[in-house]
Amino acid sequence: MAKVFEAADASNLMTELRQSFDAGVTRGYEWRVSQLKKLLIICDNHEPEIVSALHDDLGKPELESSVYEVALLRNSIKLALKQLKNWMAPDKAKTSLTTFPASAQIVSEPLGVVLVISAWNYPFLLSIDPVIGAISAGNAVVLKPSELAPASSSLLSKLLEQYLDPSAVRVVEGAVTETTLLLEQKWDKIFYTGSSRIGRIIMTAAAKHLTPVVLELGGKSPVVIDSDTNLKITVKRIIAGKWGCNNGQACISPDYILTAKEYAPKVINAMKQELEAFYGKNPMESKDMSRIVNSNHFDRLSKILEEKEVSDKIVYGGQKDRDNLKIAPTILLDVPLDSLIMSEEIFGPLLPILTLNNLEECFDVIRSRPKPLAAYLFTQNQKLKERFAMTVSAGGIVVNDIAVHLSLPTLPFGGVGESGMGSYHGKFSFDAFSHKKAVLYKSFIGDAAIRYPPYSRGKLRLLKALVNSNLVEVFKVLLGLS
């Protein structure tokens, strides 16, 4: 029987990791590289076990597991290994007349001991990707995987304990009790991926210690389809980004479609045709789609689908199998705006289509709702692309595709407003776990008497000119012309 994780364990864990950090264990370049290389070995040597765990937890197809979890992690690790020296190097900063003679730089300093609380839908990617940033930045880190993906959580615990330095990297498995005990500790940063409801709990706990947080949440990500789009490719990409990404159980999954009333029938017919081409006439038997994570989420989705004035809006799909936790890809047309399906993040295989009198109305619809983690637009209209990118507020914008911005390490990934705060991926991950420390080096040469009492009108004029970097005025004062 596994030992129960208690308050004393949480306290001792923090003490041990704090001692390692204070002793400088994690600060050196060599330690950081050694741990990143171990993470790469995990990806290279244990991919079959990872794929198997993801299938046990979510019924994920091998392609999704290998590409969207392991391969993306491998890329993140390789990038960190390649760029780490550059990331760690101080950035030079400009100085001014006020500080002359001096030099200045911005030093990336590790925060200390950090906590990563990850999600169940991409349990390896969303656990290890933040850990890559934490280690790259030189922190000691505790990972708390999601208990809703037990096979993945167990494997993460086993592999990280086997490969990484236990004096500075730990995994704590468990549920609400364990997470609560961890949140009672004083962390230097908390990185959480999950729902906005739990995000509020995390933020409340962090506030007690003034601990900064990164919250990677979600929201209702809209897809706007213009009538001039390449409809066949558009529909394929929407299906791949919705049902081909963990069966809609993804934070950047398309949550609803907005399109003109007269164009909607074409969109629906194209989606039916491509869904059948992807998953067959009976998608419930397809091996290329994940299942719903557990019975609680299945019941939540069923409740959304069975709500009055929603169930009769189904134009495709709707089949359910609770024993096997499967729900077919389901399209709905013009559900009520105040229904559950339009009030909360769906996080499943249901996709409502809302029709508009004209596409212009999409901006008001999106603006009237909390800011989403992603917003998508399919169009060939350049002016519409530019307006959408400039005026729609979302964590990220993708034009003519779904979710692919996630794979670009040169783009920050994170939310805004209720979809989260802070960002990561690539150097943004390193920065998320670093303090940007201002450092100024001053010489003893050129010490100016004007900064010291007793003050005079002349000193005032000269200091004002120096602070304003006004060389002309400086010379005027020095020459007695001002």
Side-chain angles (χ1 to χ4, degrees):
M1 185 176 173
K3 183 182 181 299
V4 177
F5 188 78
E6 297 176 337
D9 298 310
S11 179
N12 291 338
L13 172 67
M14 176 56 82
T15 300
E16 290 167 16
L17 292 180
R18 183 72 66 193
Q19 286 172 348
S20 293
F21 178 77
D22 289 345
V25 170
T26 65
R27 285 177 174 265
Y29 173 78
E30 292 76 14
W31 182 88
R32 302 184 201 194
V33 166
S34 72
Q35 300 307 293
L36 291 171
K37 285 180 175 177
K38 294 285 180 63
L39 287 174
L40 196 57
I41 290 170
I42 289 173
C43 291
D44 290 341
N45 293 0
H46 296 277
E47 186 169 330
E49 293 164 71
I50 294 170
V51 169
S52 176
L54 290 167
H55 189 269
D56 289 348
D57 288 330
L58 293 151
K60 271 196 187 184
E62 182 182 356
L63 183 144
E64 283 190 42
S65 298
S66 289
V67 176
Y68 301 151
E69 301 230 26
V70 182
L72 286 180
L73 279 177
R74 197 179 278 120
N75 285 347
S76 289
I77 298 164
K78 286 181 176 178
L79 178 71
L81 284 167
K82 183 180 178 182
Q83 296 293 336
L84 188 56
K85 273 192 177 171
N86 292 332
W87 294 351
M88 289 176 67
D91 294 318
K92 286 186 178 179
K94 285 184 177 180
T95 56
S96 68
L97 277 174
T98 316
T99 55
F100 181 84
S103 62
Q105 57 184 205
I106 302 162
V107 175
S108 293
E109 177 181 66
L111 293 172
V113 185
V114 300
L115 173 65
V116 173
I117 304 174
S118 70
W120 53 263
N121 56 330
Y122 286 83
F124 280 87
L125 179 67
L126 299 181
S127 293
I128 296 181
D129 217 359
V131 168
I132 292 167
I135 288 173
S136 297
N139 299 280
V141 57
V142 172
L143 170 65
K144 164 60 185 67
S146 173
E147 71 278 11
L148 300 186
S152 299
S153 176
S154 176
L155 184 58
L156 277 163
S157 179
K158 178 187 131 187
L159 292 176
L160 267 61
E161 184 178 332
Q162 179 182 339
Y163 283 93
L164 298 189
D165 179 358
S167 75
V169 183
R170 299 283 185 86
V171 179
V172 175
E173 289 193 272
V176 175
T177 301
E178 290 77 9
T179 306
T180 303
L181 290 172
L182 288 172
L183 287 173
E184 288 172 357
Q185 304 302 310
K186 180 175 171 52
W187 303 92
D188 295 299
K189 192 152 203 174
I190 298 173
F191 189 110
Y192 168 75
T193 305
S195 71
S196 56
R197 183 180 68 84
I198 304 299
R200 287 176 168 86
I201 295 171
I202 303 289
M203 202 168 178
T204 301
K208 293 176 185 174
H209 300 292
L210 290 180
T211 296
V213 295
V214 172
L215 300 179
E216 294 289 339
L217 308 178
K220 298 185 74 62
S221 297
V223 181
V224 177
I225 304 177
D226 191 4
S227 58
D228 76 346
T229 190
N230 182 323
L231 188 56
K232 188 176 180 68
I233 294 176
T234 293
V235 164
K236 282 183 173 182
R237 290 177 178 179
I238 290 171
I239 293 170
K242 176 72 172 180
W243 295 283
C245 288
N246 203 23
N247 205 6
Q249 298 170 112
C251 56
I252 50 174
S253 172
D255 202 89
Y256 64 98
I257 289 174
L258 296 169
T259 195
K261 199 179 293 280
E262 69 272 8
Y263 196 61
K266 290 183 179 179
V267 173
I268 293 167
N269 288 335
M271 292 195 78
K272 289 177 180 179
Q273 188 177 332
E274 295 302 334
L275 278 165
E276 192 170 308
F278 283 17
Y279 302 115
K281 290 186 182 295
N282 186 359
M284 301 286 273
E285 294 178 357
S286 174
K287 304 294 184 191
D288 294 329
M289 205 169 359
S290 302
R291 61 168 170 78
I292 307 306
V293 63
N294 57 33
S295 56
N296 286 341
H297 279 273
F298 183 94
D299 292 342
R300 178 187 63 81
L301 289 163
S302 296
K303 181 183 174 185
I304 288 173
L305 200 55
E306 291 162 6
E307 190 182 11
K308 188 182 175 185
E309 297 181 5
V310 170
S311 57
D312 60 350
K313 302 290 186 181
I314 296 172
V315 293
Y316 181 84
Q319 301 92 338
K320 302 193 295 289
D321 177 358
R322 194 176 190 276
D323 291 339
N324 292 303
L325 297 174
K326 291 203 167 185
I327 298 176
T330 301
I331 303 169
L332 306 96
L333 182 63
D334 283 330
V335 296
L337 290 177
D338 60 353
S339 58
L340 283 174
I341 201 168
M342 286 308 298
S343 303
E344 59 181 62
E345 186 177 5
I346 295 169
F347 225 72
L350 320 178
L351 186 59
I353 297 175
L354 303 182
T355 62
L356 310 169
N357 293 320
N358 58 73
L359 208 64
E360 182 73 20
E361 295 175 6
C362 77
F363 293 99
D364 290 333
V365 174
I366 296 170
R367 198 180 297 114
S368 69
R369 297 174 168 273
K371 295 175 181 181
L373 186 56
Y376 305 109
L377 170 68
F378 287 88
T379 186
Q380 297 188 62
N381 184 319
Q382 188 60 33
K383 285 187 177 179
L384 181 58
K385 291 177 188 177
E386 291 170 3
R387 185 181 171 198
F388 194 85
M390 294 304 295
T391 62
V392 171
S393 185
I397 301 280
V398 181
V399 177
N400 293 335
D401 212 332
I402 301 287
V404 290
H405 62 306
L406 179 84
S407 64
L408 263 185
T410 51
L411 289 176
F413 181 78
V416 59
E418 289 192 27
S419 59
M421 61 184 70
S423 60
Y424 71 128
H425 288 181
K427 186 173 186 293
F428 302 102
S429 294
F430 177 87
D431 291 341
F433 290 99
S434 299
H435 165 58
K436 300 302 178 184
K437 183 166 61 178
V439 179
L440 187 136
Y441 297 96
K442 193 79 165 70
S443 170
F444 286 113
I445 298 168
D447 192 43
I450 59 167
R451 63 188 286 197
Y452 305 122
Y455 302 136
S456 68
R457 299 303 298 176
K459 286 183 177 181
L460 173 61
R461 287 194 298 272
L462 186 53
L463 275 173
K464 283 173 73 173
L466 285 167
V467 169
N468 292 327
S469 296
N470 189 334
L471 278 171
V472 174
E473 190 63 29
V474 168
F475 284 122
K476 280 184 175 181
V477 174
L478 291 174
L479 295 171
L481 300 175
S482 173

